[in-house]
């Protein structure tokens, strides 16, 4: 059952968070008011149909797509262009060329001379509660408009509009959904190495708009975004009893998930958001349970007598990958979603943990420890094709972006005497090991968890 408990932040703090944290939606042209209104912009003149994406992600990794981005007219327009430029450049798949003006239609001869394959034009008009952003994406070689959209919203949403425009460009140029209009839940860390304050936090995928959700009175770990609701599951040591909680982004309130006798930890939502998998300690080991969020009913899935933990559903909800030491050392196993026969899939050197299934269904990410070194890698669901993407003193807690092309993870450095030199940051890396980089955060950070698109 779900049990109420004392909020982890004050009522005043919770009320202040509500408007900024609830799920973001993009409204269609038939909606009259509220949120962000998107309407299509017709091409300037009758022309051939807009070309489909002809460049694959793999091709763009080898040769980033040159694209011209103007400043959309100064002020908010300039700020939006900066966010859009950073989104595209940070993928490593685009090479942004600054534009000199926000003309309605490109000078294709000049664009070709600069080596551009695509160009954006656009403008920002209005202010305050009513701002209109127009953007057009052009194929320079064919001289055709690929996309034209106008967005009407409050000026407070300017950053989000820039991310949405970036997603449009990503999808039209590469043929896959973008991931810029997303957020990341994480654990914010501050203070000395041996006594850090940990707070549940949330930020945009580029590190902007970071907000703390809990006060840091108790150790907090492993946040997980719901794919369907304005909720984050996480583990807290509140009142010195480690348990899984649900944080409601609409209200700022939290509640305990279930009333287990043992410690509950390692939560993970089902793909439909209706249930949560977690681990519960029992007799020196831990078992996996599924908890239905509507009824509170719980179902035990494993009883191996070992430590079974870190469960994650496959995207179609038919299977669960998890970590277990039932064979003598921590390894990865897959079993049917209802429990039953579990098959080991990890056979490389060392021990394995923190498995997470890609939303594409084709890969499972993991952490491997061997020879005193942490590695972050991926393998196919049958255990074949294992690849290491990055290594370090500690690299762990992988989380896929919504299109499955990028992983966020935690990277920590070795601490010296008295904890000196220690750092904990969030990294991002392409699933091929390409474009490994650090995400800016206001404090130390760990345990990243990517939201769904528009989440």
């Amino acid at each position: 059952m779900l049990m109420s408990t004392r909020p982890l932040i004050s009522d005043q703090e919770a009320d202040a968070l509500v408007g900024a944290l609830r799920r973001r939606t993009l409204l269609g042209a038939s909606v009259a008011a509220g949120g962000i209104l998107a309407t299509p912009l017709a091409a300037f003149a009758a022309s051939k149909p807009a070309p489909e994406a002809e460049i694959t992600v793999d091709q763009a990794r080898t040769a980033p797509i040159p694209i011209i981005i103007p400043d959309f007219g100064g002020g908010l327009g300039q700020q939006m262009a900066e966010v859009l430029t950073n989104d595209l450049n940070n993928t490593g798949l685009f090479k942004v060329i600054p534009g000199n003006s926000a003309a309605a239609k490109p000078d294709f001869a000049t664009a070709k001379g600069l080596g551009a394959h695509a160009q954006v034009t656009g403008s920002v008009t209005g202010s305050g509660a009513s701002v209109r952003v127009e953007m057009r994406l052009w194929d320079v070689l064919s001289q055709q408009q690929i996309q034209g959209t106008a967005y009407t919203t409050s000026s407070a949403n300017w950053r989000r509009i820039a991310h949405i425009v970036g997603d449009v460009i990503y999808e039209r140029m590469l043929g896959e959904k973008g991931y810029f209009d997303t957020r990341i839940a994480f654990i914010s860390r501050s203070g000395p190495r041996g006594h850090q304050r940990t707070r549940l936090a949330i930020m945009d995928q580029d590190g902007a708009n970071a907000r703390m959700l809990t006060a840091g009175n108790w150790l907090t770990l492993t946040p997980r975004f719901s794919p369907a609701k304005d909720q984050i599951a996480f583990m807290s040591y509140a009142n010195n009893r480690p348990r899984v909680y649900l944080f409601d982004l609409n209200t700022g309130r939290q509640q305990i998930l279930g009333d287990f006798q043992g410690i509950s930890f390692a939560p993970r939502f089902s793909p439909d958001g209706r249930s949560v998998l977690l681990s519960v300690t029992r007799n020196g080991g831990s078992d996996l349970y599924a908890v239905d969020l509507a009824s509170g009913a719980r179902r035990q899935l494993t009883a191996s007598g070992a430590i079974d933990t870190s469960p994650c559903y496959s995207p179609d909800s038919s299977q669960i990958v998890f970590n277990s030491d039932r064979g003598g050392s921590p390894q990865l196993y897959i079993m049917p979603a209802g429990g039953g026969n579990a098959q080991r899939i990890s056979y490389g050197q060392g021990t394995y943990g923190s498995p997470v299934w890609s939303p594409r269904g084709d890969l499972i990410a993991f952490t491997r420890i061997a020879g005193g070194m942490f590695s972050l890698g991926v393998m196919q669901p049958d255990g074949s094709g294992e690849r290491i993407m990055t290594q370090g003193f500690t690299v762990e807690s992988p989380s896929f972006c919504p299109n499955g092309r990028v992983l966020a993870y935690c990277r920590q450095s070795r601490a010296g005497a008295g904890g000196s030199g220690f750092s904990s940051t969030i990294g991002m890396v392409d699933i091929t090991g390409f474009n490994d980089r650090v995400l800016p955060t206001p404090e130390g950070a760990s345990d990243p968890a990517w939201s769904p698109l528009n989440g």
Side-chain angles (χ1 to χ4, degrees), residues 439-452:
L439 186 68
T441 53
E443 300 178 327
S446 66
D447 300 64
W450 224 307
S451 79

Side-chain angles (χ1 to χ4, degrees), residues 356-402:
V356 57
W357 220 304
S358 167
R360 303 164 68 94
D362 58 339
L363 295 172
I364 291 171
F366 59 85
T367 295
R368 191 180 76 184
I369 307 173
M373 179 71 68
F374 278 70
S375 301
L376 197 76
V378 293
M379 65 174 66
Q380 295 175 22
D382 62 1
S384 64
E386 180 174 325
R387 292 184 285 107
I388 298 301
M389 297 177 295
T390 189
Q391 295 180 306
F393 175 71
T394 301
V395 288
E396 59 185 2
S397 305
S399 179
F400 281 98
C401 75

Side-chain angles (χ1 to χ4, degrees), residues 82-84 86-87 90 159 163 179-180 182-184 203-209 428 437-441 450:
E82 291 173 356
V83 171
L84 177 57
N86 289 335
D87 279 347
N90 284 339
R159 289 190 64 92
H163 292 318
Y179 54 87
F180 305 131
T182 58
R183 294 184 287 181
I184 291 176
M203 63 184 170
D204 294 351
Q205 58 77 31
D206 60 353
N209 293 326
M428 286 189 176
R437 62 188 183 87
V438 173
L439 186 68
T441 53
W450 224 307

Side-chain angles (χ1 to χ4, degrees), residues 239-260:
N239 301 312
N240 295 313
R241 184 178 174 185
R243 289 180 289 186
V244 171
Y245 289 74
L246 293 177
F247 188 98
D248 190 319
L249 291 172
N250 282 328
T251 65
R253 308 299 194 269
Q254 54 80 38
Q255 55 188 173
I256 299 168
L257 179 60
D259 186 22
F260 296 96

Side-chain angles (χ1 to χ4, degrees), residues 302-356:
T302 65
S304 67
I307 297 176
D308 297 336
T309 187
S310 303
C312 180
Y313 280 107
S314 61
D316 64 2
S317 300
S318 67
Q319 296 177 293
I320 294 171
V321 63
F322 63 101
N323 167 254
S324 176
D325 65 354
R326 61 183 63 192
S329 67
Q331 300 293 334
L332 305 186
Y333 292 80
I334 285 181
M335 69 178 180
N341 186 36
Q343 300 292 324
R344 179 176 167 179
I345 63 170
S346 60
Y347 287 95
Q349 183 182 10
T351 61
Y352 290 74
S354 305
V356 57

